[in-house]
C-alpha cells in the first residue's frame, strides 16, 4: 500500500506511550499482494495476520481483544495517524499490549507528596497495526503490522479475567447492584448473592468488588445533591410537626450539604439523666452513600441502650468530627458527658480534646477486641486463645502496677516484643485498661453483655437503608421510644417477682428504689459482703475476704455526713456500692443505704426531678409517673414501723387537704383521665 506524501497527523491515546514505545515503519511488516494471499491460505483466522480485512477499526479492535484474552493479556488503543488536511481523516491505528510503554515520572507539585503506585507497564513491544484502504472499492481496514512477542509472563485463563479490559458490569447487573445498595447490604454480600443467582463459583463473576465500589461511587456523585436536598426537606418537615426535634447542618463552599446531625426530643430528655457515660460510634458507614455515620448511645436505668443522636459526615477528619461534637453539645444545652467511649481514631481523639476538654475520653474495649483475630491470630497460631485469656486477665486487674508487670511478662512469654499492635496498645493503655479507669463512670458499658446489646441496637437502624432522606425516619422507627417505654414497664413489673436473698433492711430499702437491673447488681454485692470481714483502723476500715490473712480494701466512712468510699472505686465506676462499703455499713448498724449512693440514673423514674418542677404539658405524664414512684416508696418505707406509719398518715392527710383546695384545670383533666384508665 502506498502512502500519500502529505504530512501525517499523529495522535496518542496515552501520551506516555509517545516516549516509551517505538512502532515505526522498520519494526512492522508491510503487506504485499503475495503476502496477503499466503496469509489467507495458511493462517488460522483466530490469529491476526498481515492483510486481514475488517469493515471498521472497532471490529479489528474487538478481534484483537478476543485474541489477547485467549493468549493471557489485554490490549489498549495506542495511537492514531491521519492526514493533515480537510476531509482526509483517520488512516492508521495502533493497538498495543496493556503492558506497553513505561510509567511517566511525575514532577513534584508545590512540595505535595506524590502517590507511589506500582505500574504494570514494562515496555512490551507487542502490537497490531491497521491501515485504512479505499482504492479497492468501499473503505476497509487491513492489518499492516503484527508483533506477538512479549517481554513478560502471560496470564493463565483464570487470571486474565481480572484484567480491567475484561471486567464488565452489564446494565442488568448494575441495576441489581444499585438495588442491593439501597437495602444497605455490604459489597461482599452483594457479590455472594449475585454468585448464587448466576450459579458461579465465588470469585468468578465478570467483575470484582473494586468494580462494584467504583460503580457505587459514580452513582453517589450523580445522585448526591438531590439526596441532600431531600434530606434537608425531610428534617424541616419533622421540625414543623415536632418543634422539639433538633437538627444542624453545614454546607460546603459550593452550597452543598457537607454534614448533618439530629436528635429527637425523647433523646434529649434521656440524655439529661443518662448522658453521664456515652458511646460515640464512628465505625459505621451508610453503604448506599459511602458516608461516615456517627452515633451517640448510652445506657438507661433499666440497663438498655438509649439513643442520643446521629451525625452524617462528608469526611471522617478533624474538621467534620469537631463539627459533629459541637452540634451534639448544642442539642444537649452544652452539657458534656463525664465519660465518652470511642474507636481508636486519632482525629476523634484530637476533636474531643478540643470540644470536650472536661470529658474523660476512653477507647471501647469491644472495638479493640474485635480486631484481635486479624492482628494476632496468624502471629500466635495455636497460642492465640491462651494469649487472649491472659489479655482479659490483665485488662480486669485493679492495680496499675500489677497490670504493667503482667503486661511485660505476657510480652516475654508470647514473644511479642516487636509486634506493633502490642506496642500501640501499651502506649494507649491509660485509655482502655480498667486499672487506669476505675475512678471514672462507665454505667457498665465496658462489659461484654452491654457491648453486644449496643451493637445490636445500632444494627436495628443500619440494617435497612433506603433513600438518604428517609434515614432520619428509619432511625426514629428503629429507636421507637414507645417500645422502649413498654419494655421498661415490663421490667418494672418484675419487681413483684424480686426475691430478697439476705433479709437485710438495706436490701429491701434498695429494692423499693432501684430498677430491677440496678438492684440485681447491688444485690450481688450484698450477698458477697457477708463473706468479708471489716477491721476498724485509725483512718477508716480494712475489709478483706474471710479466708485471706492479708491485703484487702480501705473503706472510709463518715456516718454523720453519710459519706463512704472504697479504694476499689466500684461506685465511681458503676454507680453501685461495692461489697466492701456495704460490709462496713452493715457492721456500723446502718439499715439504709445513704441516698447519695442510690443515684438518680439507677432509680425507677423516667425523668429527673428538676424537670418535674417545670409546668409543661409535655411533661405531665412523666410527673405523674414520678409521683407514683414516690408514693410507692412512701408506702414501703412507712410500713416498716408504727411510728413511720403514723407520721406518714398525718403528713399525707395534711398534703391531701391542701391539694384539694387547688383549682382543677380542664387541660389537667384531659391529661389525667387516660392515665387512670390505664392503671
Amino acid at each position: 500500500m502506498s502512502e500519500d506524501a502529505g504530512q501525517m497527523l499523529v495522535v496518542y491515546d496515552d501520551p506516555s506511550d509517545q516516549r516509551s514505545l517505538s512502532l515505526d515503519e522498520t519494526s512492522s511488516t508491510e503487506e504485499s499482494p503475495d503476502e496477503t494471499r499466503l496469509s489467507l491460505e495458511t493462517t488460522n483466522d483466530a490469529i491476526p495476520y498481515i492483510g486481514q480485512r475488517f469493515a471498521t477499526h472497532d471490529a479489528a479492535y474487538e478481534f484483537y481483544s478476543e485474541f489477547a484474552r485467549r493468549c493471557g493479556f489485554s490490549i489498549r488503543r495506542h495511537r492514531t495517524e491521519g492526514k493533515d488536511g480537510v476531509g482526509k481523516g483517520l488512516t492508521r491505528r495502533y493497538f498495543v499490549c496493556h503492558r506497553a510503554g513505561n510509567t511517566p515520572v511525575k514532577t513534584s507539585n508545590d512540595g505535595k507528596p506524590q502517590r507511589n503506585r506500582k505500574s504494570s507497564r514494562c515496555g512490551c513491544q507487542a502490537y497490531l497495526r491497521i491501515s485504512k484502504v479505499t482504492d479497492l472499492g468501499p473503505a476497509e481496514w487491513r492489518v499492516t503490522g503484527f508483533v506477538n512477542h512479549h517481554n513478560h509472563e502471560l496470564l493463565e485463563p483464570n487470571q486474565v479475567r481480572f484484567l480491567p479490559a475484561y471486567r464488565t458490569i452489564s446494565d442488568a447487573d448494575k441495576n441489581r447492584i444499585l438495588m442491593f445498595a439501597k437495602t444497605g447490604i455490604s459489597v461482599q454480600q452483594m457479590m455472594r448473592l449475585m454468585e448464587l443467582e448466576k450459579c458461579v463459583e465465588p470469585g468468578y463473576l465478570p467483575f470484582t468488588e473494586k468494580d462494584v465500589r467504583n460503580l457505587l461511587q459514580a452513582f453517589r456523585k450523580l445522585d448526591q445533591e438531590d439526596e441532600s436536598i431531600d434530606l434537608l426537606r425531610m428534617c424541616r418537615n419533622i421540625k414543623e410537626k415536632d418543634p422539639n426535634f433538633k437538627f444542624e447542618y453545614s454546607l460546603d463552599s459550593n452550597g452543598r450539604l457537607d454534614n448533618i446531625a439530629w436528635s429527637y426530643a425523647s433523646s434529649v430528655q434521656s440524655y439529661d439523666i443518662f448522658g453521664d457515660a456515652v458511646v460515640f460510634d464512628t465505625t459505621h458507614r451508610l453503604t448506599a452513600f459511602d458516608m461516615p455515620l456517627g452515633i451517640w448511645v448510652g445506657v438507661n436505668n433499666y440497663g438498655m441502650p438509649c439513643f442520643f443522636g446521629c451525625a452524617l459526615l462528608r469526611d471522617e477528619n478533624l474538621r467534620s468530627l469537631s463539627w459533629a461534637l459541637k452540634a451534639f453539645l448544642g442539642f444537649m444545652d452544652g452539657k458534656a458527658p463525664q465519660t465518652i467511649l470511642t474507636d481508636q481514631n486519632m482525629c476523634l481523639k484530637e476533636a474531643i480534646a478540643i470540644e470536650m476538654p472536661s470529658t474523660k475520653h476512653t477507647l471501647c474495649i469491644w472495638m479493640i477486641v474485635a480486631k484481635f483475630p486479624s492482628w494476632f491470630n496468624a502471629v500466635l497460631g495455636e497460642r492465640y486463645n491462651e494469649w487472649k485469656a491472659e489479655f482479659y486477665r490483665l485488662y480486669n486487674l485493679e492495680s496499675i502496677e500489677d497490670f504493667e508487670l503482667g503486661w511485660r511478662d505476657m510480652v516475654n512469654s508470647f514473644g511479642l516484643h516487636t509486634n506493633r499492635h502490642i506496642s500501640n496498645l501499651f502506649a494507649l493503655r491509660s485509655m482502655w485498661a480498667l486499672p487506669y479507669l476505675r475512678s471514672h463512670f462507665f454505667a457498665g458499658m465496658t462489659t461484654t453483655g452491654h457491648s453486644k446489646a449496643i451493637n445490636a441496637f445500632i444494627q436495628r437502624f443500619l440494617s435497612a437503608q433506603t433513600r438518604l432522606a428517609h434515614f432520619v425516619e428509619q432511625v426514629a422507627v428503629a429507636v421507637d421510644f414507645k417500645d422502649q417505654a413498654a419494655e421498661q414497664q415490663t421490667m418494672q413489673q418484675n419487681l413483684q417477682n424480686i426475691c430478697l436473698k439476705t433479709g437485710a433492711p438495706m436490701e429491701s430499702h434498695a429494692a423499693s428504689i432501684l430498677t430491677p437491673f440496678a438492684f440485681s447488681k447491688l444485690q450481688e454485692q450484698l450477698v458477697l459482703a457477708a463473706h468479708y470481714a471489716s477491721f476498724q483502723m485509725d483512718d477508716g476500715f480494712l475489709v478483706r475476704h474471710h479466708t485471706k490473712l492479708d491485703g484487702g480494701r480501705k473503706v472510709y466512712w463518715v456516718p454523720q455526713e453519710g459519706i463512704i468510699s472504697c479504694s476499689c472505686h466500684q461506685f465511681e465506676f458503676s454507680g453501685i456500692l461495692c461489697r466492701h462499703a456495704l460490709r462496713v455499713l452493715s457492721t456500723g448498724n446502718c439499715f439504709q443505704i445513704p441516698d447519695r449512693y442510690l443515684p438518680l440514673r439507677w432509680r425507677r423514674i423516667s425523668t429527673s426531678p428538676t424537670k418535674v418542677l417545670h409546668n409543661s404539658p409535655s411533661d405531665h405524664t412523666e410527673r405523674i409517673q414520678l409521683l407514683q414512684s414516690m408514693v410507692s416508696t412512701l408506702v414501703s418505707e412507712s410500713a416498716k414501723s408504727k411510728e413511720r406509719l403514723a407520721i406518714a398518715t398525718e403528713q399525707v392527710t395534711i398534703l391531701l387537704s391542701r391539694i384539694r383546695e387547688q383549682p382543677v384545670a380542664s387541660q389537667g383533666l384531659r391529661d389525667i383521665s387516660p392515665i387512670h384508665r390505664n392503671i
Side-chain angles (χ1 to χ4, degrees):
M1 178 185 72
S2 62
E3 295 181 349
D4 294 341
Q7 184 179 2
M8 299 289 289
L9 176 65
V10 181
V11 179
Y12 288 84
D13 285 13
D14 188 338
S16 65
D17 291 332
Q18 184 174 2
R19 298 186 304 274
S20 58
L21 188 65
S22 175
L23 299 177
D24 56 24
E25 301 303 320
T26 60
S27 66
S28 61
T29 306
E30 295 293 347
E31 69 166 342
S32 68
D34 292 337
E35 288 172 344
T36 300
R37 287 192 297 271
L38 179 62
S39 297
L40 287 171
E41 292 172 357
T42 63
T43 306
N44 189 329
D45 284 346
I47 302 174
Y49 56 89
I50 302 301
Q52 188 175 10
R53 299 180 176 91
F54 298 96
T56 65
H57 58 79
D58 287 333
Y61 177 85
E62 294 298 328
F63 177 86
Y64 189 35
S65 178
E66 182 58 31
F67 167 77
R69 182 187 184 112
R70 294 194 305 273
C71 291
F73 68 101
S74 68
I75 65 170
R76 69 173 188 273
R77 293 175 173 86
H78 167 52
R79 81 183 188 203
T80 59
E81 296 176 355
K83 297 295 183 182
D84 189 16
V86 179
K88 296 295 183 180
L90 180 65
T91 62
R92 184 178 291 178
R93 293 217 68 154
Y94 289 88
F95 307 129
V96 298
C97 173
H98 73 289
R99 301 195 65 177
N102 294 293
T103 304
V105 179
K106 291 184 178 179
T107 57
S108 59
N109 183 16
D110 298 329
K112 294 181 180 179
Q114 300 294 322
R115 297 176 64 185
N116 185 22
R117 293 184 295 180
K118 186 177 179 180
S119 174
S120 65
R121 299 192 180 187
C122 60
C124 180
Q125 295 289 318
Y127 76 97
L128 178 78
R129 185 181 69 216
I130 58 175
S131 300
K132 191 174 184 180
V133 178
T134 59
D135 55 356
L136 298 177
E140 63 178 11
W141 293 82
R142 292 187 189 179
V143 175
T144 59
F146 172 55
V147 172
N148 197 32
H149 299 295
H150 299 264
N151 65 350
H152 55 88
E153 293 291 330
L154 297 178
L155 301 177
E156 296 295 329
N158 64 335
Q159 297 174 319
V160 71
R161 61 193 176 85
F162 291 115
L163 292 174
Y166 305 126
R167 301 201 310 257
T168 57
I169 305 179
S170 67
D171 290 341
D173 287 340
K174 287 179 181 178
N175 292 334
R176 195 88 175 129
I177 290 168
L178 296 179
M179 184 198 72
F180 285 147
K182 292 295 187 179
T183 65
I185 69 173
S186 67
V187 172
Q188 293 92 334
Q189 290 170 324
M190 294 181 199
M191 297 291 287
R192 184 56 183 150
L193 283 172
M194 298 186 78
E195 286 166 354
L196 293 172
E197 290 175 351
K198 295 176 180 293
C199 299
V200 300
E201 293 293 324
Y204 274 79
L205 288 171
F207 47 85
T208 64
E209 285 188 17
K210 182 179 179 181
D211 299 323
V212 174
R213 295 183 193 281
N214 290 340
L215 174 68
L216 293 176
Q217 185 65 31
F219 167 72
R220 292 177 193 119
K221 289 179 179 178
L222 295 174
D223 204 34
Q224 211 166 62
E225 190 166 349
D226 290 340
E227 287 283 353
S228 299
I229 294 171
D230 290 343
L231 176 59
L232 288 176
R233 186 183 296 117
M234 175 67 73
C235 288
R236 293 188 179 107
N237 290 340
I238 297 174
K239 183 74 173 177
E240 289 178 4
K241 298 175 183 177
D242 179 10
N244 293 319
F245 174 75
K246 297 186 177 184
F247 76 100
E248 290 288 343
Y249 64 93
S250 65
L251 304 176
D252 62 16
S253 57
N254 297 318
R256 292 175 298 192
L257 183 66
D258 200 21
N259 305 305
I260 187 168
W262 68 92
S263 183
Y264 308 97
S266 298
S267 297
V268 176
Q269 187 180 23
S270 295
Y271 181 84
D272 190 55
I273 313 172
F274 311 121
D276 39 19
V278 174
V279 172
F280 184 34
D281 190 334
T282 57
T283 61
H284 301 281
R285 301 178 80 88
L286 285 193
T287 306
F289 303 96
D290 196 32
M291 295 181 70
L293 178 66
I295 307 164
W296 288 275
V297 184
V299 171
N300 66 13
N301 51 342
Y302 287 84
M304 297 186 297
C306 54
F307 176 87
F308 294 141
C310 229
L312 276 172
L313 309 175
R314 185 60 55 200
D315 299 295
E316 196 176 354
N317 54 28
L318 176 61
R319 183 183 64 84
S320 294
L321 292 168
S322 293
W323 180 93
L325 293 173
K326 284 181 182 177
F328 180 72
L329 289 175
F331 297 157
M332 306 306 171
D333 298 324
K335 179 183 175 182
Q338 297 176 28
T339 309
I340 188 168
L341 298 93
T342 73
D343 188 23
Q344 188 175 336
N345 183 318
M346 291 301 104
C347 288
L348 188 54
K349 183 174 184 281
E350 187 175 349
I352 291 172
I354 296 171
E355 306 301 336
M356 298 179 175
S358 62
T359 297
K360 176 62 178 178
H361 179 204
T362 63
L363 303 179
C364 289
I365 186 62
W366 67 83
M367 295 184 186
I368 294 175
V369 171
K371 301 172 184 175
F372 281 179
S374 62
W375 286 356
F376 302 116
N377 212 339
V379 175
L380 295 169
E382 294 180 354
R383 301 192 70 190
Y384 171 72
N385 288 332
E386 179 188 351
W387 171 84
K388 193 173 180 180
E390 177 63 8
F391 172 86
Y392 275 118
R393 187 189 72 81
L394 297 175
Y395 167 74
N396 284 292
L397 290 174
E398 292 186 2
S399 164
I400 292 177
E401 182 180 0
D402 290 345
F403 173 86
E404 296 191 349
L405 289 173
W407 188 272
R408 187 168 59 210
D409 292 341
M410 179 266 290
V411 170
N412 291 333
S413 175
F414 290 89
L416 296 171
H417 303 84
T418 60
N419 187 279
R420 63 184 180 91
H421 298 300
I422 286 291
S423 299
N424 290 338
L425 283 172
F426 188 72
L428 295 170
R429 62 193 181 281
S430 63
M431 296 184 70
W432 60 264
L434 291 188
Y436 300 86
L437 302 174
R438 292 191 182 278
S439 59
H440 300 278
F441 184 71
F442 285 87
M445 290 193 292
T446 59
T447 63
T448 303
H450 270 108
S451 70
K452 291 180 179 178
I454 290 173
N455 281 329
F457 178 75
I458 291 173
Q459 291 301 323
R460 288 168 65 179
F461 52 87
L462 286 179
S463 59
Q465 301 169 23
T466 55
R467 292 185 65 81
L468 184 60
H470 297 161
F471 185 67
V472 181
E473 287 187 335
Q474 288 173 209
V475 175
V477 171
V479 171
D480 202 343
F481 298 104
K482 292 183 180 179
D483 283 353
Q484 288 195 41
E487 291 177 23
Q488 292 177 6
Q489 186 176 3
T490 300
M491 295 187 70
Q492 192 156 341
Q493 290 173 352
N494 291 338
L495 280 171
Q496 301 172 3
N497 302 322
I498 283 180
C499 176
L500 301 181
K501 298 179 179 180
T502 68
M506 280 192 294
E507 185 182 20
S508 58
H509 173 236
S512 68
I513 295 175
L514 300 178
T515 63
F517 170 79
F519 174 71
S520 67
K521 302 297 181 184
L522 182 69
Q523 190 179 54
E524 290 175 7
Q525 298 299 314
L526 279 166
V527 170
L528 291 170
H531 298 269
Y532 284 74
S534 66
F535 307 92
Q536 188 165 5
M537 306 176 70
D538 293 339
D539 58 346
F541 293 81
L542 177 65
V543 181
R544 63 171 173 245
H545 197 271
H546 73 94
T547 61
K548 304 292 184 181
L549 297 178
D550 54 11
R553 301 289 181 270
K554 290 293 295 292
V555 177
Y556 303 92
W557 183 32
V558 185
Q560 300 82 356
E561 300 179 12
I563 296 176
I564 191 166
S565 64
C566 180
S567 60
C568 76
H569 297 294
Q570 178 168 307
F571 180 77
E572 292 84 352
F573 184 72
S574 66
I576 302 294
L577 274 181
C578 63
R579 65 200 76 172
H580 318 107
L582 291 169
R583 177 60 181 164
V584 170
L585 291 175
S586 178
T587 303
N589 298 322
C590 185
F591 299 108
Q592 288 190 1
I593 295 174
D595 191 64
R596 71 177 66 190
Y597 299 108
L598 298 172
L600 178 67
R601 69 121 46 242
W602 294 132
R603 296 192 181 199
R604 289 186 285 117
I605 56 175
S606 59
T607 190
S608 67
T610 55
K611 285 189 176 292
V612 177
L613 299 177
H614 298 294
N615 196 23
S616 169
S618 62
D619 295 331
H620 197 83
T621 301
E622 285 79 4
R623 295 202 303 276
I624 292 176
Q625 290 175 350
L626 177 61
L627 180 59
Q628 289 173 335
S629 176
M630 294 171 67
V631 169
S632 175
T633 304
L634 177 65
V635 172
S636 62
E637 290 297 316
S638 302
K640 293 178 180 178
S641 69
K642 293 182 179 180
E643 293 76 15
R644 287 188 178 190
L645 186 60
I647 294 172
T649 303
E650 179 185 356
Q651 295 298 322
V652 170
T653 301
I654 296 172
L655 179 61
L656 188 59
S657 177
R658 289 181 58 189
I659 290 174
R660 285 172 175 166
E661 293 174 0
Q662 301 299 315
V664 178
S666 58
Q667 178 63 40
L669 288 174
R670 286 196 298 270
D671 290 338
I672 293 173
S673 55
I675 295 177
H676 281 299
R677 287 196 296 269
N678 292 331
I679 292 176

